Short mmCIF file of all heavy atoms in Angstrom, two decimals:
data_model
loop_
_atom_site.label_atom_id
_atom_site.label_comp_id
_atom_site.label_asym_id
_atom_site.label_seq_id
_atom_site.Cartn_x
_atom_site.Cartn_y
_atom_site.Cartn_z
N MET C 235 114.01 129.91 17.44
CA MET C 235 114.20 130.96 18.43
C MET C 235 115.68 131.31 18.55
O MET C 235 116.53 130.43 18.52
CB MET C 235 113.65 130.50 19.78
CG MET C 235 113.87 131.50 20.88
SD MET C 235 113.41 131.00 22.57
CE MET C 235 112.16 129.80 22.37
N ARG C 236 115.95 132.60 18.69
CA ARG C 236 117.32 133.07 18.89
C ARG C 236 117.46 133.64 20.30
O ARG C 236 116.51 134.25 20.83
CB ARG C 236 117.67 134.15 17.88
CG ARG C 236 117.74 133.60 16.46
CD ARG C 236 118.16 134.68 15.48
NE ARG C 236 119.40 135.37 15.84
CZ ARG C 236 120.62 134.86 15.72
NH1 ARG C 236 120.78 133.64 15.24
NH2 ARG C 236 121.68 135.56 16.05
N LEU C 237 118.61 133.44 20.89
CA LEU C 237 118.89 133.93 22.22
C LEU C 237 120.14 134.80 22.23
O LEU C 237 121.07 134.56 21.46
CB LEU C 237 119.09 132.77 23.20
CG LEU C 237 117.92 131.82 23.40
CD1 LEU C 237 118.32 130.69 24.33
CD2 LEU C 237 116.71 132.55 23.92
N LYS C 238 120.14 135.76 23.13
CA LYS C 238 121.31 136.59 23.38
C LYS C 238 121.62 136.45 24.86
O LYS C 238 120.73 136.58 25.70
CB LYS C 238 121.01 138.04 23.03
CG LYS C 238 122.16 138.98 23.31
CD LYS C 238 121.75 140.40 22.89
CE LYS C 238 122.87 141.38 23.13
NZ LYS C 238 122.48 142.74 22.70
N VAL C 239 122.87 136.18 25.19
CA VAL C 239 123.32 136.02 26.57
C VAL C 239 124.43 136.99 26.86
O VAL C 239 125.38 137.11 26.09
CB VAL C 239 123.80 134.57 26.84
CG1 VAL C 239 124.40 134.46 28.23
CG2 VAL C 239 122.68 133.57 26.66
N GLU C 240 124.30 137.69 27.99
CA GLU C 240 125.37 138.53 28.50
C GLU C 240 125.85 137.85 29.78
O GLU C 240 125.04 137.45 30.61
CB GLU C 240 124.84 139.93 28.80
CG GLU C 240 124.33 140.63 27.55
CD GLU C 240 123.65 141.94 27.88
OE1 GLU C 240 124.31 142.79 28.54
OE2 GLU C 240 122.48 142.09 27.51
N PHE C 241 127.18 137.73 29.94
CA PHE C 241 127.68 137.06 31.13
C PHE C 241 129.00 137.64 31.61
O PHE C 241 129.74 138.23 30.83
CB PHE C 241 127.84 135.54 30.88
CG PHE C 241 128.95 135.19 29.95
CD1 PHE C 241 130.22 134.91 30.43
CD2 PHE C 241 128.74 135.13 28.58
CE1 PHE C 241 131.26 134.59 29.57
CE2 PHE C 241 129.75 134.80 27.71
CZ PHE C 241 131.01 134.53 28.20
N THR C 242 129.26 137.45 32.88
CA THR C 242 130.55 137.76 33.49
C THR C 242 130.91 136.63 34.44
O THR C 242 130.03 135.94 34.97
CB THR C 242 130.54 139.09 34.29
OG1 THR C 242 129.54 138.98 35.29
CG2 THR C 242 130.26 140.27 33.41
N THR C 243 132.19 136.43 34.63
CA THR C 243 132.68 135.49 35.62
C THR C 243 133.49 136.26 36.65
O THR C 243 134.12 137.27 36.34
CB THR C 243 133.54 134.38 34.99
OG1 THR C 243 134.69 134.95 34.37
CG2 THR C 243 132.75 133.59 33.96
N GLU C 244 133.46 135.79 37.87
CA GLU C 244 134.18 136.46 38.95
C GLU C 244 134.94 135.42 39.76
O GLU C 244 134.56 134.26 39.76
CB GLU C 244 133.20 137.21 39.85
CG GLU C 244 132.46 138.32 39.15
CD GLU C 244 131.46 139.00 40.06
OE1 GLU C 244 131.76 139.18 41.26
OE2 GLU C 244 130.38 139.36 39.57
N PRO C 245 135.96 135.79 40.48
CA PRO C 245 136.40 137.14 40.81
C PRO C 245 137.19 137.79 39.68
O PRO C 245 137.78 137.11 38.85
CB PRO C 245 137.28 136.95 42.04
CG PRO C 245 137.83 135.56 41.89
CD PRO C 245 136.74 134.79 41.19
N PHE C 246 137.14 139.12 39.66
CA PHE C 246 137.87 139.90 38.67
C PHE C 246 139.34 139.97 39.03
O PHE C 246 139.70 139.96 40.20
CB PHE C 246 137.33 141.33 38.58
CG PHE C 246 135.92 141.41 38.09
CD1 PHE C 246 134.92 141.88 38.90
CD2 PHE C 246 135.59 141.03 36.80
CE1 PHE C 246 133.61 141.97 38.46
CE2 PHE C 246 134.29 141.12 36.33
CZ PHE C 246 133.30 141.59 37.18
N ASP C 247 140.17 140.09 38.02
CA ASP C 247 141.59 140.36 38.20
C ASP C 247 141.96 141.34 37.10
O ASP C 247 141.91 140.98 35.92
CB ASP C 247 142.41 139.08 38.10
CG ASP C 247 143.89 139.30 38.34
OD1 ASP C 247 144.36 140.45 38.23
OD2 ASP C 247 144.59 138.32 38.64
N LEU C 248 142.30 142.54 37.47
CA LEU C 248 142.58 143.57 36.48
C LEU C 248 143.98 143.45 35.87
O LEU C 248 144.25 144.03 34.84
CB LEU C 248 142.41 144.96 37.10
CG LEU C 248 140.99 145.28 37.56
CD1 LEU C 248 140.94 146.66 38.21
CD2 LEU C 248 140.01 145.18 36.41
N ASP C 249 144.87 142.67 36.50
CA ASP C 249 146.23 142.52 35.99
C ASP C 249 146.33 141.48 34.88
O ASP C 249 147.08 141.67 33.93
CB ASP C 249 147.19 142.18 37.12
CG ASP C 249 147.32 143.30 38.12
OD1 ASP C 249 147.24 144.49 37.70
OD2 ASP C 249 147.47 143.02 39.33
N GLU C 250 145.63 140.39 35.03
CA GLU C 250 145.63 139.33 34.00
C GLU C 250 144.34 138.53 34.06
O GLU C 250 143.69 138.47 35.10
CB GLU C 250 146.84 138.42 34.15
CG GLU C 250 146.88 137.62 35.42
CD GLU C 250 148.13 136.76 35.53
OE1 GLU C 250 149.19 137.33 35.81
OE2 GLU C 250 148.02 135.54 35.32
N ALA C 251 144.00 137.94 32.94
CA ALA C 251 142.75 137.17 32.87
C ALA C 251 142.88 135.91 33.73
O ALA C 251 143.81 135.13 33.55
CB ALA C 251 142.44 136.78 31.43
N PRO C 252 141.97 135.71 34.68
CA PRO C 252 142.01 134.52 35.52
C PRO C 252 141.65 133.26 34.73
O PRO C 252 141.04 133.34 33.66
CB PRO C 252 140.99 134.80 36.62
CG PRO C 252 140.22 135.98 36.20
CD PRO C 252 140.93 136.64 35.07
N ALA C 253 141.99 132.13 35.28
CA ALA C 253 141.74 130.85 34.61
C ALA C 253 140.27 130.66 34.26
O ALA C 253 139.93 130.15 33.19
CB ALA C 253 142.24 129.69 35.48
N HIS C 254 139.36 131.08 35.14
CA HIS C 254 137.94 130.90 34.87
C HIS C 254 137.47 131.76 33.70
O HIS C 254 136.63 131.33 32.92
CB HIS C 254 137.08 131.16 36.11
CG HIS C 254 137.23 132.53 36.69
ND1 HIS C 254 136.58 133.62 36.19
CD2 HIS C 254 137.97 132.96 37.73
CE1 HIS C 254 136.91 134.69 36.90
NE2 HIS C 254 137.74 134.31 37.85
N ALA C 255 138.05 132.95 33.53
CA ALA C 255 137.70 133.80 32.40
C ALA C 255 138.23 133.18 31.10
O ALA C 255 137.55 133.22 30.06
CB ALA C 255 138.25 135.21 32.60
N LEU C 256 139.42 132.64 31.15
CA LEU C 256 139.99 131.98 29.96
C LEU C 256 139.17 130.76 29.59
O LEU C 256 138.94 130.49 28.41
CB LEU C 256 141.45 131.62 30.21
CG LEU C 256 142.39 132.81 30.42
CD1 LEU C 256 143.79 132.31 30.78
CD2 LEU C 256 142.42 133.71 29.20
N ALA C 257 138.73 130.00 30.59
CA ALA C 257 137.89 128.82 30.32
C ALA C 257 136.60 129.23 29.66
O ALA C 257 136.15 128.60 28.68
CB ALA C 257 137.63 128.05 31.62
N ALA C 258 135.97 130.29 30.16
CA ALA C 258 134.73 130.78 29.57
C ALA C 258 134.96 131.22 28.12
O ALA C 258 134.17 130.91 27.22
CB ALA C 258 134.17 131.94 30.39
N ARG C 259 136.04 131.93 27.87
CA ARG C 259 136.36 132.39 26.51
C ARG C 259 136.56 131.21 25.56
O ARG C 259 136.09 131.23 24.43
CB ARG C 259 137.60 133.28 26.54
CG ARG C 259 137.93 133.85 25.17
CD ARG C 259 139.09 134.79 25.23
NE ARG C 259 138.78 135.90 26.09
CZ ARG C 259 139.68 136.74 26.57
NH1 ARG C 259 140.95 136.59 26.29
NH2 ARG C 259 139.32 137.74 27.34
N GLU C 260 137.24 130.18 26.03
CA GLU C 260 137.46 128.99 25.18
C GLU C 260 136.14 128.31 24.84
O GLU C 260 135.94 127.87 23.69
CB GLU C 260 138.39 128.01 25.88
CG GLU C 260 139.83 128.51 25.96
CD GLU C 260 140.73 127.61 26.80
OE1 GLU C 260 140.29 126.51 27.20
OE2 GLU C 260 141.85 128.04 27.07
N VAL C 261 135.24 128.22 25.79
CA VAL C 261 133.91 127.63 25.53
C VAL C 261 133.21 128.41 24.43
O VAL C 261 132.68 127.84 23.47
CB VAL C 261 133.05 127.62 26.81
CG1 VAL C 261 131.59 127.32 26.48
CG2 VAL C 261 133.59 126.61 27.80
N ILE C 262 133.21 129.72 24.56
CA ILE C 262 132.51 130.58 23.59
C ILE C 262 133.17 130.51 22.22
O ILE C 262 132.48 130.46 21.19
CB ILE C 262 132.49 132.03 24.12
CG1 ILE C 262 131.66 132.10 25.40
CG2 ILE C 262 131.98 132.99 23.07
CD1 ILE C 262 130.28 131.48 25.30
N GLU C 263 134.49 130.45 22.18
CA GLU C 263 135.19 130.39 20.88
C GLU C 263 134.90 129.11 20.13
O GLU C 263 134.86 129.10 18.91
CB GLU C 263 136.68 130.57 21.08
CG GLU C 263 137.05 132.00 21.46
CD GLU C 263 138.52 132.17 21.79
OE1 GLU C 263 139.25 131.16 21.96
OE2 GLU C 263 138.94 133.34 21.92
N ARG C 264 134.69 128.01 20.83
CA ARG C 264 134.45 126.75 20.12
C ARG C 264 132.97 126.47 19.89
O ARG C 264 132.60 125.52 19.21
CB ARG C 264 135.13 125.59 20.82
CG ARG C 264 134.59 125.18 22.14
CD ARG C 264 135.33 123.95 22.68
NE ARG C 264 134.76 123.58 23.95
CZ ARG C 264 135.30 123.81 25.14
NH1 ARG C 264 136.46 124.41 25.21
NH2 ARG C 264 134.70 123.45 26.23
N ALA C 265 132.09 127.28 20.44
CA ALA C 265 130.63 127.11 20.27
C ALA C 265 130.21 127.59 18.88
O ALA C 265 130.86 128.44 18.28
CB ALA C 265 129.88 127.87 21.35
N ASP C 266 129.09 127.06 18.42
CA ASP C 266 128.55 127.40 17.10
C ASP C 266 127.60 128.59 17.25
O ASP C 266 126.39 128.44 17.15
CB ASP C 266 127.85 126.18 16.50
CG ASP C 266 127.36 126.44 15.09
OD1 ASP C 266 127.93 127.32 14.40
OD2 ASP C 266 126.41 125.77 14.68
N LEU C 267 128.19 129.77 17.50
CA LEU C 267 127.40 130.97 17.76
C LEU C 267 127.54 131.95 16.59
O LEU C 267 128.55 131.94 15.89
CB LEU C 267 127.83 131.64 19.05
CG LEU C 267 127.68 130.75 20.28
CD1 LEU C 267 128.44 131.34 21.46
CD2 LEU C 267 126.21 130.55 20.62
N ASP C 268 126.53 132.80 16.41
CA ASP C 268 126.54 133.75 15.31
C ASP C 268 127.26 135.05 15.62
O ASP C 268 127.85 135.67 14.75
CB ASP C 268 125.10 134.09 14.88
CG ASP C 268 124.34 132.85 14.44
OD1 ASP C 268 124.97 131.89 13.96
OD2 ASP C 268 123.11 132.84 14.61
N ALA C 269 127.19 135.49 16.86
CA ALA C 269 127.81 136.76 17.26
C ALA C 269 128.44 136.59 18.64
O ALA C 269 127.83 136.05 19.54
CB ALA C 269 126.77 137.87 17.29
N VAL C 270 129.68 137.06 18.76
CA VAL C 270 130.41 136.97 20.02
C VAL C 270 131.12 138.29 20.24
O VAL C 270 131.81 138.78 19.36
CB VAL C 270 131.46 135.82 19.98
CG1 VAL C 270 132.29 135.82 21.25
CG2 VAL C 270 130.78 134.49 19.76
N ASP C 271 130.94 138.88 21.42
CA ASP C 271 131.64 140.10 21.81
C ASP C 271 132.22 139.85 23.19
O ASP C 271 131.49 139.77 24.16
CB ASP C 271 130.69 141.29 21.82
CG ASP C 271 131.40 142.60 22.16
OD1 ASP C 271 132.63 142.67 22.02
OD2 ASP C 271 130.71 143.53 22.58
N VAL C 272 133.53 139.68 23.27
CA VAL C 272 134.23 139.41 24.52
C VAL C 272 134.92 140.67 24.99
O VAL C 272 135.67 141.28 24.25
CB VAL C 272 135.25 138.26 24.33
CG1 VAL C 272 136.03 138.03 25.61
CG2 VAL C 272 134.57 136.99 23.89
N GLY C 273 134.62 141.08 26.22
CA GLY C 273 135.23 142.28 26.77
C GLY C 273 135.78 142.02 28.15
O GLY C 273 135.60 140.93 28.72
N PRO C 274 136.47 143.02 28.73
CA PRO C 274 137.10 142.81 30.03
C PRO C 274 136.12 142.67 31.18
O PRO C 274 136.42 142.06 32.20
CB PRO C 274 137.99 144.04 30.19
CG PRO C 274 137.36 145.08 29.33
CD PRO C 274 136.73 144.33 28.18
N PHE C 275 134.93 143.27 31.06
CA PHE C 275 133.97 143.24 32.17
C PHE C 275 132.64 142.60 31.81
O PHE C 275 131.74 142.52 32.63
CB PHE C 275 133.72 144.66 32.70
CG PHE C 275 134.97 145.29 33.24
CD1 PHE C 275 135.59 146.29 32.55
CD2 PHE C 275 135.53 144.82 34.42
CE1 PHE C 275 136.75 146.87 33.03
CE2 PHE C 275 136.69 145.40 34.91
CZ PHE C 275 137.31 146.42 34.22
N GLY C 276 132.49 142.15 30.59
CA GLY C 276 131.25 141.51 30.17
C GLY C 276 131.40 140.93 28.80
O GLY C 276 132.23 141.37 28.01
N ASN C 277 130.61 139.94 28.53
CA ASN C 277 130.66 139.22 27.26
C ASN C 277 129.25 139.03 26.76
O ASN C 277 128.33 138.82 27.55
CB ASN C 277 131.33 137.86 27.46
CG ASN C 277 132.64 137.98 28.19
OD1 ASN C 277 133.64 138.33 27.62
ND2 ASN C 277 132.63 137.73 29.49
N THR C 278 129.08 139.08 25.44
CA THR C 278 127.77 138.89 24.84
C THR C 278 127.89 137.88 23.73
O THR C 278 128.83 137.95 22.91
CB THR C 278 127.25 140.22 24.27
OG1 THR C 278 127.25 141.20 25.31
CG2 THR C 278 125.83 140.07 23.73
N VAL C 279 126.96 136.94 23.68
CA VAL C 279 126.91 135.96 22.60
C VAL C 279 125.47 135.85 22.10
O VAL C 279 124.54 136.12 22.84
CB VAL C 279 127.43 134.57 23.05
CG1 VAL C 279 128.88 134.66 23.50
CG2 VAL C 279 126.56 133.97 24.14
N GLU C 280 125.35 135.47 20.84
CA GLU C 280 124.02 135.33 20.26
C GLU C 280 124.03 134.17 19.27
O GLU C 280 125.03 133.93 18.59
CB GLU C 280 123.66 136.63 19.55
CG GLU C 280 122.23 136.69 19.06
CD GLU C 280 121.88 138.05 18.49
OE1 GLU C 280 122.32 139.06 19.04
OE2 GLU C 280 121.15 138.07 17.48
N GLY C 281 122.91 133.47 19.20
CA GLY C 281 122.80 132.38 18.25
C GLY C 281 121.48 131.66 18.44
O GLY C 281 120.58 132.12 19.16
N SER C 282 121.38 130.51 17.81
CA SER C 282 120.17 129.69 17.95
C SER C 282 120.04 129.27 19.41
O SER C 282 121.02 129.16 20.14
CB SER C 282 120.24 128.47 17.05
OG SER C 282 121.21 127.55 17.55
N ALA C 283 118.81 129.00 19.83
CA ALA C 283 118.58 128.60 21.20
C ALA C 283 119.39 127.37 21.58
O ALA C 283 120.01 127.32 22.65
CB ALA C 283 117.09 128.35 21.43
N ASP C 284 119.42 126.39 20.70
CA ASP C 284 120.17 125.16 21.00
C ASP C 284 121.65 125.44 21.20
O ASP C 284 122.28 124.94 22.14
CB ASP C 284 119.98 124.11 19.90
CG ASP C 284 118.61 123.49 19.91
OD1 ASP C 284 117.92 123.57 20.96
OD2 ASP C 284 118.20 122.94 18.87
N ALA C 285 122.24 126.24 20.32
CA ALA C 285 123.67 126.55 20.41
C ALA C 285 123.97 127.37 21.65
O ALA C 285 124.97 127.11 22.36
CB ALA C 285 124.13 127.29 19.16
N VAL C 286 123.15 128.35 21.95
CA VAL C 286 123.38 129.21 23.11
C VAL C 286 123.22 128.42 24.40
O VAL C 286 124.05 128.51 25.31
CB VAL C 286 122.45 130.43 23.10
CG1 VAL C 286 122.50 131.18 24.42
CG2 VAL C 286 122.82 131.37 21.94
N LEU C 287 122.17 127.61 24.51
CA LEU C 287 121.96 126.83 25.73
C LEU C 287 123.07 125.81 25.95
O LEU C 287 123.51 125.60 27.08
CB LEU C 287 120.58 126.17 25.71
CG LEU C 287 119.42 127.15 25.76
CD1 LEU C 287 118.11 126.41 25.55
CD2 LEU C 287 119.41 127.93 27.05
N ALA C 288 123.56 125.20 24.89
CA ALA C 288 124.68 124.26 25.01
C ALA C 288 125.94 125.01 25.47
O ALA C 288 126.68 124.53 26.33
CB ALA C 288 124.93 123.55 23.70
N ALA C 289 126.15 126.20 24.91
CA ALA C 289 127.33 126.99 25.30
C ALA C 289 127.22 127.44 26.76
O ALA C 289 128.21 127.41 27.50
CB ALA C 289 127.46 128.20 24.37
N VAL C 290 126.03 127.83 27.21
CA VAL C 290 125.85 128.25 28.61
C VAL C 290 126.11 127.09 29.56
O VAL C 290 126.77 127.25 30.57
CB VAL C 290 124.44 128.85 28.81
CG1 VAL C 290 124.11 128.98 30.30
CG2 VAL C 290 124.33 130.20 28.11
N ASP C 291 125.63 125.90 29.22
CA ASP C 291 125.89 124.73 30.05
C ASP C 291 127.40 124.50 30.18
O ASP C 291 127.91 124.35 31.29
CB ASP C 291 125.20 123.50 29.44
CG ASP C 291 125.51 122.24 30.22
OD1 ASP C 291 125.10 122.14 31.40
OD2 ASP C 291 126.19 121.35 29.65
N ALA C 292 128.10 124.50 29.06
CA ALA C 292 129.55 124.27 29.08
C ALA C 292 130.27 125.41 29.79
O ALA C 292 131.21 125.19 30.56
CB ALA C 292 130.08 124.12 27.66
N LEU C 293 129.80 126.64 29.57
CA LEU C 293 130.41 127.80 30.21
C LEU C 293 130.31 127.70 31.74
O LEU C 293 131.31 127.93 32.43
CB LEU C 293 129.71 129.06 29.72
CG LEU C 293 130.16 130.33 30.43
CD1 LEU C 293 130.85 131.23 29.45
CD2 LEU C 293 129.00 131.02 31.06
N LEU C 294 129.17 127.35 32.24
CA LEU C 294 128.98 127.22 33.68
C LEU C 294 129.86 126.11 34.25
O LEU C 294 130.57 126.30 35.24
CB LEU C 294 127.52 126.96 34.02
CG LEU C 294 126.57 128.14 33.78
CD1 LEU C 294 125.12 127.68 33.94
CD2 LEU C 294 126.88 129.28 34.72
N ARG C 295 129.82 124.98 33.62
CA ARG C 295 130.60 123.83 34.13
C ARG C 295 132.11 124.12 34.12
O ARG C 295 132.81 123.86 35.09
CB ARG C 295 130.31 122.58 33.30
CG ARG C 295 128.91 122.06 33.49
CD ARG C 295 128.61 120.87 32.55
NE ARG C 295 127.23 120.51 32.59
CZ ARG C 295 126.68 119.73 33.53
NH1 ARG C 295 127.42 119.27 34.51
NH2 ARG C 295 125.39 119.45 33.47
N GLU C 296 132.59 124.66 33.00
CA GLU C 296 134.04 124.85 32.86
C GLU C 296 134.56 126.05 33.63
O GLU C 296 135.65 125.97 34.23
CB GLU C 296 134.41 124.91 31.39
CG GLU C 296 134.13 123.57 30.71
CD GLU C 296 134.64 123.47 29.29
OE1 GLU C 296 135.64 124.14 28.96
OE2 GLU C 296 134.03 122.71 28.52
N SER C 297 133.83 127.15 33.67
CA SER C 297 134.33 128.31 34.42
C SER C 297 134.27 128.06 35.92
O SER C 297 135.20 128.42 36.65
CB SER C 297 133.60 129.59 34.01
OG SER C 297 132.23 129.50 34.28
N LEU C 298 133.20 127.42 36.41
CA LEU C 298 133.15 127.08 37.83
C LEU C 298 134.24 126.08 38.18
O LEU C 298 134.87 126.18 39.23
CB LEU C 298 131.77 126.55 38.21
CG LEU C 298 130.64 127.59 38.15
CD1 LEU C 298 129.28 126.89 38.28
CD2 LEU C 298 130.81 128.65 39.21
N GLY C 299 134.48 125.11 37.29
CA GLY C 299 135.54 124.15 37.50
C GLY C 299 136.93 124.76 37.48
O GLY C 299 137.86 124.22 38.07
N ALA C 300 137.06 125.92 36.85
CA ALA C 300 138.35 126.61 36.75
C ALA C 300 138.50 127.69 37.83
O ALA C 300 139.43 128.49 37.78
CB ALA C 300 138.53 127.22 35.36
N GLY C 301 137.57 127.73 38.78
CA GLY C 301 137.74 128.63 39.92
C GLY C 301 136.82 129.83 40.01
O GLY C 301 136.96 130.64 40.93
N ALA C 302 135.87 129.97 39.11
CA ALA C 302 134.91 131.08 39.24
C ALA C 302 134.12 130.89 40.52
O ALA C 302 133.71 129.78 40.85
CB ALA C 302 133.98 131.14 38.03
N THR C 303 133.89 131.99 41.22
CA THR C 303 133.07 131.95 42.43
C THR C 303 131.68 132.50 42.17
O THR C 303 130.79 132.35 43.00
CB THR C 303 133.72 132.75 43.57
OG1 THR C 303 133.91 134.11 43.13
CG2 THR C 303 135.03 132.13 43.97
N ARG C 304 131.51 133.14 41.01
CA ARG C 304 130.21 133.66 40.60
C ARG C 304 130.18 133.77 39.09
O ARG C 304 131.16 134.21 38.48
CB ARG C 304 129.95 135.02 41.22
CG ARG C 304 128.67 135.68 40.68
CD ARG C 304 128.51 137.07 41.18
NE ARG C 304 128.13 137.00 42.58
CZ ARG C 304 127.45 137.94 43.22
NH1 ARG C 304 127.07 139.03 42.59
NH2 ARG C 304 127.14 137.79 44.48
N VAL C 305 129.08 133.38 38.50
CA VAL C 305 128.83 133.61 37.09
C VAL C 305 127.48 134.30 37.00
O VAL C 305 126.47 133.75 37.45
CB VAL C 305 128.82 132.29 36.26
CG1 VAL C 305 128.53 132.59 34.80
CG2 VAL C 305 130.12 131.53 36.43
N SER C 306 127.49 135.50 36.47
CA SER C 306 126.26 136.25 36.29
C SER C 306 125.88 136.21 34.83
O SER C 306 126.73 136.41 33.96
CB SER C 306 126.43 137.71 36.71
OG SER C 306 126.85 137.80 38.05
N LEU C 307 124.61 135.91 34.56
CA LEU C 307 124.19 135.91 33.16
C LEU C 307 122.77 136.38 33.01
O LEU C 307 121.96 136.27 33.92
CB LEU C 307 124.40 134.55 32.49
CG LEU C 307 123.72 133.32 33.06
CD1 LEU C 307 122.43 133.05 32.34
CD2 LEU C 307 124.68 132.16 32.88
N GLN C 308 122.53 136.93 31.85
CA GLN C 308 121.20 137.39 31.48
C GLN C 308 120.89 136.82 30.11
O GLN C 308 121.71 136.89 29.20
CB GLN C 308 121.18 138.91 31.42
CG GLN C 308 119.84 139.48 31.00
CD GLN C 308 119.85 140.99 31.05
OE1 GLN C 308 120.52 141.60 31.87
NE2 GLN C 308 119.11 141.60 30.16
N VAL C 309 119.72 136.21 29.97
CA VAL C 309 119.32 135.58 28.71
C VAL C 309 118.10 136.33 28.17
O VAL C 309 117.13 136.55 28.90
CB VAL C 309 118.96 134.09 28.92
CG1 VAL C 309 118.55 133.44 27.61
CG2 VAL C 309 120.12 133.34 29.57
N ASN C 310 118.18 136.71 26.90
CA ASN C 310 117.07 137.39 26.23
C ASN C 310 116.71 136.67 24.94
O ASN C 310 117.59 136.21 24.22
CB ASN C 310 117.44 138.83 25.88
CG ASN C 310 117.66 139.69 27.08
OD1 ASN C 310 116.74 139.93 27.84
ND2 ASN C 310 118.88 140.12 27.27
N VAL C 311 115.42 136.60 24.66
CA VAL C 311 114.96 136.10 23.38
C VAL C 311 115.05 137.29 22.42
O VAL C 311 114.60 138.39 22.74
CB VAL C 311 113.52 135.58 23.46
CG1 VAL C 311 112.99 135.20 22.09
CG2 VAL C 311 113.43 134.41 24.42
N VAL C 312 115.64 137.08 21.25
CA VAL C 312 115.79 138.17 20.27
C VAL C 312 115.20 137.75 18.94
O VAL C 312 115.09 136.56 18.62
CB VAL C 312 117.27 138.57 20.06
CG1 VAL C 312 117.85 139.19 21.32
CG2 VAL C 312 118.12 137.38 19.64
N GLY C 313 114.79 138.73 18.18
CA GLY C 313 114.35 138.48 16.81
C GLY C 313 112.99 137.84 16.69
O GLY C 313 112.69 137.25 15.66
N GLN C 314 112.17 137.94 17.72
CA GLN C 314 110.81 137.39 17.66
C GLN C 314 109.82 138.51 17.85
O GLN C 314 109.98 139.35 18.73
CB GLN C 314 110.58 136.36 18.77
CG GLN C 314 110.65 134.96 18.33
CD GLN C 314 110.23 134.03 19.47
OE1 GLN C 314 110.28 134.35 20.63
NE2 GLN C 314 109.83 132.84 19.09
N GLU C 315 108.81 138.53 17.02
CA GLU C 315 107.76 139.50 17.21
C GLU C 315 106.90 139.07 18.38
O GLU C 315 106.65 137.90 18.59
CB GLU C 315 106.91 139.63 15.94
CG GLU C 315 107.67 140.22 14.79
CD GLU C 315 106.80 140.45 13.60
OE1 GLU C 315 105.58 140.64 13.76
OE2 GLU C 315 107.33 140.44 12.48
N ARG C 316 106.41 140.04 19.10
CA ARG C 316 105.58 139.75 20.27
C ARG C 316 104.13 139.85 19.92
O ARG C 316 103.65 140.48 19.13
CB ARG C 316 105.92 140.71 21.39
CG ARG C 316 107.36 140.55 21.78
CD ARG C 316 107.66 141.38 23.04
NE ARG C 316 109.05 141.50 23.25
CZ ARG C 316 109.82 140.60 23.81
NH1 ARG C 316 109.33 139.47 24.20
NH2 ARG C 316 111.08 140.80 23.99
#
């Protein structure tokens, strides 16, 4: 199974990336994912279910630990026939 996750961390800071956003980016960069799109207001990652779920666990722990007050995410199953 493949998963696609879209996520944001808050609070936003338009002047510079906050510590929680940098922590989330570092998690994603070191994860074994197939596709990563990092943007200023949202991020998308895709990969095997195991890799994505491990990355989401680390992302939540590290971004909240770095000061995020909210992490919004959406998880979709991709590439499977219904």
